[in-house]
Amino acid sequence: MAKLDVKELMEQEDTQKGKFLNFSIGSEMYGIEVRNVIEIIRILPMTEVPELPEYIKGIINLRGKIIPVMDVRLRFKKPFKEYNDKTCIIVIDIEDTYIGLIVDSVSEIVWIPEVEIVDLPELNKAGNRYIKGIGKVGNGVRLILDCYKLLTHSDFENLNSSVFKS
């Protein structure tokens, strides 16, 4: 049995700190912490599951693992856009549950130092519960997603009862 090296694990965690995968929804650029990203895949055929919210487009079978897929556009109450060759699914891990996020396109991984991430203005914080902060990147900004808030507690319960029944 291999010995677990805590120092090595901590160093791996540090190499991901401050790194964000950039993706777009329409003209807005977003960032999601790399440590939550499992992989990026092209759009796969999805199986619709009845009685789930409109933004949960269905489930996919990814190498034997059943993963619910959310259209981030619809989650953000933006109009649906037909999927194209740039559309992809970012598979993330939220509390040991894999979720696929459909986004318009993925661009790059950038490092945003903690000092370059600011809180949301107080104007409409309640309406932006999915946004953790704003990262300054060059002359632009990235809206940093809080992936733990993309799904509500009831969403998790619905998915667990509808999708992951034993």
Side-chain angles (χ1 to χ4, degrees), residues 69-139:
V69 179
M70 170 195 302
D71 190 315
V72 178
R73 272 184 162 275
L74 299 178
R75 183 64 171 143
F76 291 175
K77 299 186 182 343
K78 294 185 178 288
F80 176 77
K81 178 182 170 190
E82 288 296 323
Y83 304 144
N84 59 40
D85 59 337
K86 290 185 178 184
T87 309
C88 54
I89 299 173
I90 303 171
V91 180
I92 61 170
D93 183 353
I94 302 175
E95 297 177 9
D96 297 323
T97 300
Y98 284 10
I99 306 288
L101 305 177
I102 300 172
V103 299
D104 292 352
S105 67
V106 171
S107 57
E108 62 187 338
I109 293 175
V110 295
W111 179 65
I112 306 174
E114 205 170 314
V115 297
E116 295 295 323
I117 298 175
V118 297
D119 289 334
L120 283 173
E122 292 294 324
L123 301 171
N124 193 14
K125 251 187 180 175
N128 290 309
R129 67 178 178 261
Y130 315 117
I131 307 301
K132 187 191 307 193
I134 300 171
K136 299 181 224 171
V137 179
N139 292 329

Side-chain angles (χ1 to χ4, degrees), residues 40-77:
I40 302 164
I41 58 174
R42 62 181 172 75
I43 291 287
L44 298 174
M46 291 174 258
T47 302
E48 247 183 76
V49 179
E51 299 185 26
L52 288 178
E54 178 188 9
Y55 54 85
I56 304 293
K57 298 307 286 180
I59 56 175
I60 59 172
N61 180 345
L62 185 62
R63 294 183 295 284
K65 189 165 184 71
I66 302 301
I67 300 173
V69 179
M70 170 195 302
D71 190 315
V72 178
R73 272 184 162 275
L74 299 178
R75 183 64 171 143
F76 291 175
K77 299 186 182 343

